[in-house]
Coordinates of all heavy atoms in Angstrom, one line a residue:
R1 N -21.8 -27.4 -42.1 CA -22.9 -26.7 -42.8 C -24.0 -27.6 -43.2 O -23.8 -28.7 -43.8 CB -22.3 -26.1 -44.1 CG -23.4 -25.3 -44.9 CD -22.8 -24.6 -46.1 NE -21.9 -23.6 -45.5 CZ -21.0 -23.0 -46.2 NH1 -20.8 -23.3 -47.4 NH2 -20.3 -22.1 -45.6
Y2 N -25.2 -27.3 -42.8 CA -26.4 -28.0 -43.1 C -27.2 -27.3 -44.1 O -27.4 -26.1 -44.0 CB -27.2 -28.3 -41.8 CG -26.6 -29.3 -40.9 CD1 -25.7 -28.8 -39.9 CD2 -26.8 -30.6 -41.0 CE1 -25.0 -29.7 -39.1 CE2 -26.2 -31.5 -40.2 CZ -25.3 -31.1 -39.2 OH -24.7 -32.0 -38.4
T3 N -27.6 -28.0 -45.1 CA -28.4 -27.4 -46.2 C -29.8 -28.0 -46.4 O -30.6 -27.4 -47.2 CB -27.6 -27.6 -47.6 OG1 -27.4 -29.0 -47.8 CG2 -26.3 -26.8 -47.5
A4 N -30.1 -29.0 -45.7 CA -31.5 -29.6 -45.8 C -31.8 -30.3 -44.4 O -30.9 -30.8 -43.7 CB -31.5 -30.7 -46.9
L5 N -33.1 -30.3 -44.1 CA -33.5 -30.9 -42.9 C -33.1 -32.4 -42.8 O -32.8 -33.0 -41.8 CB -35.0 -30.8 -42.7 CG -35.6 -29.5 -42.3 CD1 -37.1 -29.5 -42.3 CD2 -35.0 -29.0 -41.0
S6 N -33.1 -33.0 -44.0 CA -32.8 -34.5 -44.1 C -31.3 -34.7 -43.7 O -31.0 -35.9 -43.6 CB -33.1 -35.0 -45.5 OG -32.4 -34.2 -46.5
D7 N -30.5 -33.7 -43.6 CA -29.1 -33.9 -43.2 C -29.0 -34.5 -41.8 O -28.0 -35.1 -41.5 CB -28.3 -32.6 -43.3 CG -28.1 -32.1 -44.7 OD1 -28.3 -32.9 -45.6 OD2 -27.8 -30.9 -44.8
S8 N -30.0 -34.2 -40.9 CA -29.9 -34.8 -39.5 C -31.3 -34.7 -38.9 O -31.7 -33.8 -38.3 CB -28.9 -33.9 -38.7 OG -28.7 -34.5 -37.4
T9 N -32.0 -35.8 -39.1 CA -33.4 -35.9 -38.7 C -33.5 -36.4 -37.3 O -32.6 -36.9 -36.7 CB -34.2 -36.8 -39.6 OG1 -33.7 -38.2 -39.5 CG2 -34.1 -36.4 -41.1
L10 N -34.7 -36.3 -36.7 CA -35.0 -36.9 -35.4 C -34.7 -38.4 -35.4 O -34.1 -38.9 -34.4 CB -36.4 -36.6 -34.9 CG -36.7 -35.1 -34.7 CD1 -38.2 -35.0 -34.3 CD2 -35.9 -34.5 -33.7
A11 N -35.1 -39.1 -36.4 CA -34.9 -40.5 -36.5 C -33.5 -40.9 -36.8 O -33.0 -42.0 -36.5 CB -35.9 -41.1 -37.5
N12 N -32.8 -40.1 -37.5 CA -31.4 -40.4 -38.0 C -30.5 -39.2 -37.8 O -30.1 -38.5 -38.8 CB -31.5 -40.8 -39.5 CG -30.2 -41.5 -39.9 OD1 -29.4 -41.9 -39.1 ND2 -29.9 -41.5 -41.2
S13 N -30.2 -38.9 -36.5 CA -29.5 -37.6 -36.2 C -28.0 -37.8 -36.4 O -27.5 -38.9 -36.2 CB -29.8 -37.2 -34.8 OG -29.4 -38.1 -33.9
D14 N -27.3 -36.7 -36.6 CA -25.9 -36.7 -36.7 C -25.3 -36.7 -35.2 O -26.0 -36.1 -34.3 CB -25.3 -35.4 -37.3 CG -25.4 -35.5 -38.8 OD1 -25.7 -36.5 -39.4 OD2 -25.2 -34.4 -39.5
R15 N -24.2 -37.3 -35.0 CA -23.5 -37.2 -33.7 C -22.1 -36.7 -34.0 O -21.3 -37.3 -34.7 CB -23.4 -38.6 -33.1 CG -22.7 -38.5 -31.7 CD -22.7 -39.9 -31.1 NE -24.2 -40.2 -30.9 CZ -24.7 -40.7 -29.8 NH1 -23.9 -41.0 -28.8 NH2 -26.0 -41.0 -29.8
I16 N -21.8 -35.5 -33.5 CA -20.5 -34.9 -33.8 C -19.7 -35.1 -32.5 O -20.1 -34.6 -31.4 CB -20.7 -33.4 -34.1 CG1 -21.6 -33.2 -35.4 CG2 -19.4 -32.7 -34.3 CD1 -21.9 -31.8 -35.7
Q17 N -18.6 -35.7 -32.7 CA -17.7 -36.1 -31.5 C -16.5 -35.2 -31.3 O -15.9 -35.3 -30.3 CB -17.3 -37.6 -31.7 CG -18.5 -38.5 -31.7 CD -18.1 -39.9 -31.8 OE1 -17.0 -40.3 -31.4 NE2 -19.0 -40.8 -32.3
D18 N -16.2 -34.4 -32.3 CA -14.9 -33.6 -32.2 C -15.2 -32.1 -32.2 O -14.3 -31.4 -32.6 CB -13.9 -34.0 -33.2 CG -14.5 -33.9 -34.6 OD1 -15.6 -33.5 -34.8 OD2 -13.7 -34.1 -35.6
F19 N -16.4 -31.7 -31.9 CA -16.7 -30.2 -31.9 C -16.0 -29.5 -30.8 O -16.0 -30.0 -29.6 CB -18.2 -30.1 -31.8 CG -18.7 -28.7 -32.1 CD1 -19.0 -28.3 -33.4 CD2 -18.9 -27.8 -31.0 CE1 -19.5 -27.0 -33.6 CE2 -19.3 -26.5 -31.3 CZ -19.6 -26.1 -32.6
V20 N -15.5 -28.3 -31.1 CA -14.8 -27.5 -30.0 C -15.6 -26.2 -29.9 O -15.6 -25.4 -30.8 CB -13.3 -27.2 -30.4 CG1 -12.7 -26.4 -29.3 CG2 -12.6 -28.5 -30.6
S21 N -16.3 -26.1 -28.8 CA -17.1 -24.9 -28.6 C -16.2 -23.7 -28.5 O -15.1 -23.7 -27.9 CB -17.9 -25.0 -27.2 OG -18.6 -23.8 -27.0
G22 N -16.6 -22.6 -29.2 CA -15.7 -21.4 -29.2 C -14.8 -21.3 -30.4 O -14.2 -20.3 -30.7
T23 N -14.6 -22.5 -31.0 CA -13.7 -22.6 -32.2 C -14.5 -23.0 -33.4 O -14.4 -22.3 -34.5 CB -12.6 -23.6 -31.9 OG1 -11.8 -23.1 -30.8 CG2 -11.7 -23.7 -33.1
D24 N -15.2 -24.1 -33.3 CA -16.0 -24.6 -34.4 C -17.4 -23.9 -34.4 O -17.8 -23.4 -33.4 CB -16.2 -26.1 -34.3 CG -14.9 -26.9 -34.4 OD1 -14.1 -26.5 -35.1 OD2 -14.8 -27.9 -33.7
R25 N -18.1 -23.9 -35.6 CA -19.4 -23.4 -35.7 C -20.3 -24.3 -36.5 O -19.8 -25.0 -37.4 CB -19.4 -22.0 -36.4 CG -18.4 -21.1 -35.7 CD -18.7 -19.8 -35.3 NE -19.9 -19.2 -35.0 CZ -20.1 -17.9 -35.3 NH1 -19.2 -17.2 -36.0 NH2 -21.3 -17.3 -35.0
I26 N -21.6 -24.4 -36.2 CA -22.6 -25.1 -36.9 C -23.3 -24.1 -37.8 O -24.0 -23.2 -37.2 CB -23.5 -25.9 -36.0 CG1 -22.8 -26.9 -35.2 CG2 -24.7 -26.5 -36.8 CD1 -22.2 -28.1 -36.0
D27 N -23.3 -24.3 -39.1 CA -24.0 -23.3 -40.0 C -25.3 -23.9 -40.4 O -25.5 -24.9 -41.1 CB -23.1 -23.1 -41.2 CG -23.6 -22.1 -42.2 OD1 -24.8 -21.7 -42.0 OD2 -22.9 -21.7 -43.1
L28 N -26.4 -23.2 -39.9 CA -27.8 -23.6 -40.2 C -28.5 -22.6 -41.1 O -29.7 -22.7 -41.3 CB -28.6 -23.7 -38.8 CG -28.1 -24.8 -37.9 CD1 -28.9 -24.7 -36.6 CD2 -28.1 -26.2 -38.5
T29 N -27.7 -21.7 -41.7 CA -28.3 -20.6 -42.5 C -29.0 -21.2 -43.7 O -30.0 -20.7 -44.2 CB -27.3 -19.6 -42.9 OG1 -26.2 -20.2 -43.7 CG2 -26.7 -18.9 -41.7
G30 N -28.5 -22.4 -44.2 CA -29.1 -23.0 -45.4 C -30.4 -23.7 -45.2 O -31.0 -24.0 -46.2
I31 N -30.8 -23.9 -44.0 CA -32.1 -24.6 -43.8 C -33.2 -23.6 -43.4 O -34.4 -24.0 -43.3 CB -32.0 -25.7 -42.7 CG1 -31.6 -25.2 -41.4 CG2 -31.0 -26.8 -43.2 CD1 -31.8 -26.1 -40.3
R32 N -32.9 -22.4 -43.0 CA -33.8 -21.4 -42.5 C -34.9 -21.2 -43.5 O -34.7 -21.1 -44.7 CB -33.2 -20.1 -42.2 CG -32.2 -20.1 -41.1 CD -32.7 -20.2 -39.7 NE -33.8 -19.3 -39.4 CZ -33.7 -18.1 -39.0 NH1 -32.5 -17.6 -38.7 NH2 -34.8 -17.4 -38.7
T33 N -36.2 -21.0 -43.0 CA -37.3 -20.8 -43.9 C -38.0 -19.4 -43.6 O -38.7 -18.9 -44.4 CB -38.4 -21.9 -43.8 OG1 -38.9 -21.9 -42.4 CG2 -37.9 -23.2 -44.1
G34 N -37.7 -18.8 -42.5 CA -38.2 -17.5 -42.1 C -38.0 -17.1 -40.7 O -37.3 -17.9 -39.9
S35 N -38.6 -16.0 -40.3 CA -38.3 -15.5 -39.0 C -39.0 -16.2 -37.8 O -38.6 -16.0 -36.7 CB -38.8 -14.0 -38.9 OG -40.2 -13.9 -39.1
S36 N -39.9 -17.1 -38.1 CA -40.5 -17.9 -37.1 C -39.7 -19.2 -36.7 O -40.1 -19.9 -35.8 CB -42.0 -18.3 -37.4 OG -42.0 -19.0 -38.6
D37 N -38.7 -19.5 -37.5 CA -37.8 -20.6 -37.2 C -37.1 -20.4 -35.8 O -36.7 -19.3 -35.5 CB -36.7 -20.8 -38.2 CG -37.3 -21.0 -39.6 OD1 -38.4 -21.4 -39.7 OD2 -36.5 -20.8 -40.6
V38 N -37.0 -21.5 -35.1 CA -36.3 -21.4 -33.8 C -35.4 -22.6 -33.6 O -35.6 -23.7 -34.2 CB -37.3 -21.3 -32.6 CG1 -38.1 -20.0 -32.7 CG2 -38.2 -22.5 -32.6
Y39 N -34.5 -22.5 -32.7 CA -33.7 -23.6 -32.2 C -33.5 -23.6 -30.7 O -33.8 -22.6 -30.1 CB -32.3 -23.6 -32.9 CG -31.3 -22.6 -32.4 CD1 -30.5 -22.8 -31.3 CD2 -31.2 -21.4 -33.1 CE1 -29.6 -21.8 -30.9 CE2 -30.3 -20.4 -32.7 CZ -29.6 -20.6 -31.6 OH -28.7 -19.7 -31.1
G40 N -33.2 -24.8 -30.2 CA -33.0 -24.9 -28.8 C -31.8 -25.8 -28.5 O -31.4 -26.7 -29.3
I41 N -31.2 -25.6 -27.4 CA -30.0 -26.5 -27.0 C -30.4 -27.1 -25.6 O -30.9 -26.4 -24.7 CB -28.7 -25.6 -26.8 CG1 -28.4 -24.9 -28.1 CG2 -27.6 -26.5 -26.4 CD1 -27.3 -23.8 -28.0
A42 N -30.2 -28.4 -25.5 CA -30.4 -29.2 -24.3 C -29.0 -29.9 -23.9 O -28.2 -30.1 -24.8 CB -31.5 -30.2 -24.5
Y43 N -28.9 -30.1 -22.7 CA -27.6 -30.7 -22.2 C -28.0 -32.0 -21.4 O -28.9 -32.0 -20.6 CB -26.9 -29.8 -21.3 CG -26.6 -28.4 -21.9 CD1 -27.5 -27.3 -21.6 CD2 -25.6 -28.2 -22.9 CE1 -27.3 -26.1 -22.2 CE2 -25.4 -27.0 -23.5 CZ -26.2 -26.0 -23.2 OH -26.0 -24.8 -23.8
S44 N -27.2 -33.0 -21.6 CA -27.4 -34.3 -20.9 C -26.1 -35.1 -21.0 O -25.5 -35.2 -22.0 CB -28.6 -35.1 -21.4 OG -28.7 -36.3 -20.8
G45 N -25.7 -35.7 -19.8 CA -24.6 -36.6 -19.8 C -23.3 -36.1 -20.4 O -22.5 -36.8 -21.0
G46 N -23.0 -34.8 -20.2 CA -21.8 -34.2 -20.7 C -21.8 -33.8 -22.1 O -20.8 -33.3 -22.7
G47 N -22.9 -34.0 -22.8 CA -23.1 -33.7 -24.2 C -24.2 -32.6 -24.4 O -24.8 -32.2 -23.5
S48 N -24.3 -32.2 -25.6 CA -25.4 -31.2 -26.0 C -26.2 -31.8 -27.1 O -25.8 -32.6 -28.0 CB -24.7 -29.9 -26.4 OG -23.9 -29.4 -25.4
F49 N -27.4 -31.3 -27.2 CA -28.4 -31.6 -28.3 C -28.9 -30.3 -28.9 O -29.4 -29.5 -28.1 CB -29.5 -32.5 -27.7 CG -29.1 -33.7 -27.1 CD1 -28.6 -33.8 -25.8 CD2 -29.1 -34.9 -27.9 CE1 -28.2 -35.0 -25.2 CE2 -28.6 -36.1 -27.3 CZ -28.2 -36.1 -26.0
L50 N -28.8 -30.2 -30.2 CA -29.3 -29.0 -30.9 C -30.6 -29.4 -31.6 O -30.6 -30.3 -32.5 CB -28.3 -28.5 -31.8 CG -28.7 -27.3 -32.7 CD1 -29.1 -26.1 -31.9 CD2 -27.6 -27.0 -33.7
F51 N -31.7 -28.8 -31.2 CA -33.0 -29.0 -31.9 C -33.4 -27.9 -32.7 O -33.2 -26.7 -32.3 CB -34.1 -29.2 -30.8 CG -33.9 -30.4 -29.9 CD1 -33.2 -30.2 -28.7 CD2 -34.3 -31.7 -30.2 CE1 -33.0 -31.3 -27.8 CE2 -34.1 -32.7 -29.4 CZ -33.4 -32.6 -28.2
V52 N -34.0 -28.1 -33.9 CA -34.4 -27.0 -34.8 C -35.9 -27.2 -35.1 O -36.3 -28.3 -35.5 CB -33.6 -27.0 -36.1 CG1 -34.0 -26.0 -37.1 CG2 -32.1 -26.9 -35.8
D53 N -36.6 -26.2 -35.0 CA -38.1 -26.1 -35.3 C -38.3 -25.1 -36.4 O -38.2 -23.9 -36.1 CB -38.8 -25.8 -34.1 CG -40.3 -25.5 -34.3 OD1 -40.8 -25.8 -35.4 OD2 -41.0 -25.1 -33.4
L54 N -38.4 -25.6 -37.6 CA -38.7 -24.6 -38.7 C -40.2 -24.3 -38.8 O -41.0 -25.2 -38.7 CB -38.2 -25.2 -40.1 CG -36.7 -25.5 -40.2 CD1 -36.4 -26.0 -41.6 CD2 -35.9 -24.3 -39.8
G55 N -40.5 -23.1 -38.8 CA -41.9 -22.6 -38.8 C -42.4 -22.3 -37.5 O -43.5 -21.7 -37.3
G56 N -41.7 -22.7 -36.4 CA -42.1 -22.3 -35.1 C -43.4 -22.9 -34.6 O -44.1 -22.4 -33.8
D57 N -43.7 -24.1 -35.1 CA -45.0 -24.8 -34.8 C -44.9 -25.7 -33.5 O -45.8 -26.4 -33.2 CB -45.5 -25.6 -36.0 CG -44.6 -26.7 -36.4 OD1 -43.5 -26.9 -35.8 OD2 -44.9 -27.4 -37.4
G58 N -43.7 -25.7 -32.9 CA -43.5 -26.5 -31.7 C -43.1 -27.9 -31.9 O -43.0 -28.7 -31.0
T59 N -42.8 -28.3 -33.2 CA -42.4 -29.6 -33.5 C -40.9 -29.5 -34.0 O -40.5 -28.8 -34.9 CB -43.2 -30.2 -34.7 OG1 -44.6 -30.2 -34.3 CG2 -42.8 -31.6 -35.1
N60 N -40.1 -30.4 -33.4 CA -38.7 -30.4 -33.8 C -38.5 -31.1 -35.1 O -39.0 -32.2 -35.3 CB -37.8 -31.1 -32.7 CG -37.7 -30.4 -31.4 OD1 -37.5 -29.1 -31.5 ND2 -37.8 -31.0 -30.3
D61 N -37.9 -30.4 -36.0 CA -37.7 -31.0 -37.4 C -36.3 -31.5 -37.6 O -36.0 -32.3 -38.5 CB -37.9 -29.8 -38.4 CG -39.3 -29.3 -38.3 OD1 -40.3 -30.0 -38.5 OD2 -39.4 -28.1 -38.0
M62 N -35.3 -31.2 -36.7 CA -34.0 -31.5 -36.9 C -33.3 -31.7 -35.5 O -33.7 -31.0 -34.6 CB -33.2 -30.5 -37.7 CG -31.8 -30.7 -38.0 SD -31.2 -29.3 -39.0 CE -30.2 -30.2 -40.2
L63 N -32.4 -32.7 -35.4 CA -31.6 -32.9 -34.2 C -30.2 -33.2 -34.5 O -29.9 -34.0 -35.4 CB -32.2 -34.1 -33.5 CG -31.4 -34.7 -32.3 CD1 -31.3 -33.7 -31.2 CD2 -32.0 -36.0 -31.8
I64 N -29.3 -32.5 -33.8 CA -27.8 -32.8 -34.0 C -27.3 -33.0 -32.5 O -27.6 -32.2 -31.6 CB -27.1 -31.6 -34.6 CG1 -27.7 -31.2 -36.0 CG2 -25.6 -31.9 -34.8 CD1 -27.3 -29.9 -36.5
Q65 N -26.6 -34.1 -32.3 CA -26.0 -34.5 -31.1 C -24.5 -34.1 -31.0 O -23.8 -34.3 -32.0 CB -26.2 -35.9 -30.8 CG -27.7 -36.4 -30.8 CD -27.8 -37.9 -30.5 OE1 -27.2 -38.4 -29.6 NE2 -28.6 -38.5 -31.4
F66 N -24.1 -33.7 -29.9 CA -22.7 -33.3 -29.7 C -22.1 -34.1 -28.4 O -22.7 -34.0 -27.4 CB -22.5 -31.8 -29.4 CG -22.9 -31.0 -30.6 CD1 -24.3 -30.7 -30.8 CD2 -22.0 -30.6 -31.6 CE1 -24.7 -29.9 -31.8 CE2 -22.5 -29.8 -32.6 CZ -23.8 -29.5 -32.8
T67 N -21.1 -34.8 -28.6 CA -20.5 -35.6 -27.5 C -19.4 -34.8 -26.8 O -18.6 -34.1 -27.4 CB -19.8 -36.9 -28.1 OG1 -20.8 -37.6 -28.9 CG2 -19.3 -37.8 -27.1
N68 N -19.5 -34.8 -25.5 CA -18.5 -34.2 -24.6 C -18.2 -32.7 -24.9 O -17.1 -32.3 -24.9 CB -17.2 -35.0 -24.7 CG -17.3 -36.4 -24.2 OD1 -18.0 -36.7 -23.2 ND2 -16.7 -37.3 -24.9
V69 N -19.3 -32.0 -25.1 CA -19.1 -30.5 -25.3 C -20.4 -29.8 -24.8 O -21.5 -30.3 -24.8 CB -18.9 -30.2 -26.8 CG1 -20.1 -30.5 -27.6 CG2 -18.4 -28.8 -27.0
T70 N -20.2 -28.6 -24.3 CA -21.3 -27.7 -23.9 C -21.5 -26.7 -25.0 O -20.7 -25.7 -25.1 CB -21.0 -27.0 -22.6 OG1 -20.8 -28.1 -21.6 CG2 -22.1 -26.2 -22.1
L71 N -22.4 -26.9 -25.9 CA -22.7 -26.1 -27.0 C -23.3 -24.8 -26.5 O -24.1 -24.8 -25.5 CB -23.7 -26.8 -27.9 CG -23.9 -26.2 -29.3 CD1 -22.7 -26.3 -30.2 CD2 -25.1 -26.9 -30.0
T72 N -23.0 -23.6 -27.2 CA -23.6 -22.3 -26.8 C -24.2 -21.7 -28.1 O -23.9 -22.1 -29.2 CB -22.5 -21.4 -26.2 OG1 -21.6 -21.0 -27.3 CG2 -21.8 -22.0 -25.1
A73 N -25.0 -20.7 -27.9 CA -25.6 -20.0 -29.0 C -24.5 -19.4 -30.0 O -24.7 -19.3 -31.2 CB -26.6 -18.9 -28.6
A74 N -23.4 -19.0 -29.4 CA -22.3 -18.4 -30.2 C -21.7 -19.4 -31.2 O -21.0 -19.0 -32.1 CB -21.3 -17.8 -29.3
D75 N -21.9 -20.7 -30.9 CA -21.4 -21.8 -31.8 C -22.3 -22.0 -33.0 O -21.9 -22.8 -33.9 CB -21.3 -23.1 -31.0 CG -20.3 -23.0 -29.9 OD1 -19.3 -22.4 -30.0 OD2 -20.6 -23.6 -28.8
I76 N -23.4 -21.3 -33.1 CA -24.4 -21.6 -34.2 C -24.5 -20.4 -35.1 O -24.8 -19.3 -34.6 CB -25.8 -21.9 -33.6 CG1 -25.6 -23.2 -32.7 CG2 -26.8 -22.2 -34.7 CD1 -26.7 -23.4 -31.7
L77 N -24.4 -20.6 -36.4 CA -24.7 -19.6 -37.4 C -26.1 -19.8 -37.8 O -26.5 -20.8 -38.3 CB -23.8 -19.7 -38.6 CG -22.3 -19.4 -38.4 CD1 -21.5 -19.7 -39.7 CD2 -22.1 -17.9 -38.1
W78 N -27.0 -18.8 -37.5 CA -28.4 -18.9 -37.6 C -29.0 -18.0 -38.7 O -30.1 -18.3 -39.2 CB -29.0 -18.6 -36.3 CG -30.5 -18.8 -36.2 CD1 -31.4 -17.9 -35.9 CD2 -31.2 -20.1 -36.4 NE1 -32.7 -18.5 -35.9 CE2 -32.6 -19.8 -36.2 CE3 -30.8 -21.4 -36.7 CZ2 -33.6 -20.8 -36.3 CZ3 -31.8 -22.3 -36.8 CH2 -33.1 -22.0 -36.6
N79 N -28.3 -17.0 -39.1 CA -28.8 -16.1 -40.2 C -27.7 -15.8 -41.2 O -26.6 -16.1 -41.0 CB -29.4 -14.8 -39.6 CG -28.4 -13.9 -39.0 OD1 -27.2 -13.9 -39.4 ND2 -28.8 -13.2 -38.0
A80 N -28.1 -15.2 -42.3 CA -27.2 -15.0 -43.4 C -26.0 -14.0 -43.0 O -25.0 -14.1 -43.6 CB -27.9 -14.4 -44.6
Q81 N -26.3 -13.2 -42.0 CA -25.2 -12.2 -41.6 C -24.2 -12.9 -40.6 O -23.2 -12.3 -40.3 CB -25.9 -11.0 -40.9 CG -26.7 -10.1 -41.8 CD -28.0 -10.7 -42.1 OE1 -28.7 -11.3 -41.3 NE2 -28.5 -10.5 -43.4
G82 N -24.5 -14.1 -40.2 CA -23.5 -14.8 -39.3 C -23.8 -14.6 -37.8 O -23.1 -15.2 -37.1
S83 N -24.7 -13.8 -37.4 CA -25.0 -13.6 -36.0 C -25.8 -14.8 -35.5 O -26.7 -15.3 -36.1 CB -25.8 -12.3 -35.8 OG -26.2 -12.3 -34.5
P84 N -25.4 -15.3 -34.3 CA -26.1 -16.5 -33.8 C -27.5 -16.2 -33.3 O -28.4 -17.0 -33.2 CB -25.3 -17.0 -32.7 CG -24.5 -15.8 -32.3 CD -24.3 -15.0 -33.5
L85 N -27.8 -14.9 -33.0 CA -29.1 -14.6 -32.4 C -30.1 -13.8 -33.2 O -31.3 -13.7 -32.9 CB -28.9 -13.9 -31.0 CG -28.1 -14.7 -30.0 CD1 -27.8 -13.9 -28.8 CD2 -28.8 -16.0 -29.7
E86 N -29.6 -13.0 -34.2 CA -30.5 -12.1 -34.9 C -31.2 -12.9 -36.1 O -30.6 -13.8 -36.6 CB -29.7 -11.0 -35.5 CG -29.1 -10.1 -34.4 CD -28.2 -9.0 -35.0 OE1 -28.3 -8.8 -36.2 OE2 -27.5 -8.4 -34.2
D87 N -32.4 -12.4 -36.5 CA -33.1 -13.0 -37.6 C -32.8 -12.2 -38.9 O -32.6 -11.1 -39.0 CB -34.6 -13.1 -37.4 CG -34.9 -14.3 -36.5 OD1 -34.2 -15.3 -36.7 OD2 -35.8 -14.2 -35.7

């Protein structure tokens, strides 16, 4: 569960090494500021990178790295109702 952007910044990001896609979830509901917030997932070298842009201004505000896992949208809690895709 993340409650502040400072929990995992671009300069000092978290690296999660034991995440299990389909079982574990990343809770980002505590950092949301509004409906223009967005996130993206990138893949490289067998791992995944979760980027968060609060305010939708095109600037990444948060980065979380995942080792040896293919992260999916279903792994992310993005709104208060728990759905990964709805605002």
Side-chain angles (χ1 to χ4, degrees):
R1 176 175 295 161
Y2 288 89
T3 58
L5 286 178
S6 59
D7 290 344
S8 188
T9 65
L10 295 177
N12 192 21
S13 64
D14 283 350
R15 181 174 302 225
I16 301 174
Q17 298 183 24
D18 59 354
F19 190 87
V20 178
S21 181
T23 300
D24 296 326
R25 306 227 24 218
I26 296 295
D27 186 344
L28 299 176
T29 60
I31 63 164
R32 294 288 310 273
T33 61
S35 61
S36 59
D37 300 340
V38 295
Y39 70 86
I41 302 170
Y43 308 99
S44 179
S48 302
F49 300 83
L50 174 61
F51 299 92
V52 178
D53 171 7
L54 297 184
D57 62 3
T59 300
N60 290 319
D61 301 300
M62 184 178 219
L63 169 64
I64 306 167
Q65 301 180 47
F66 298 83
T67 304
N68 299 319
V69 68
T70 301
L71 191 69
T72 70
D75 297 321
I76 301 165
L77 291 174
W78 185 240
N79 67 29
Q81 291 77 37
S83 170
L85 299 177
E86 298 175 13
D87 281 324

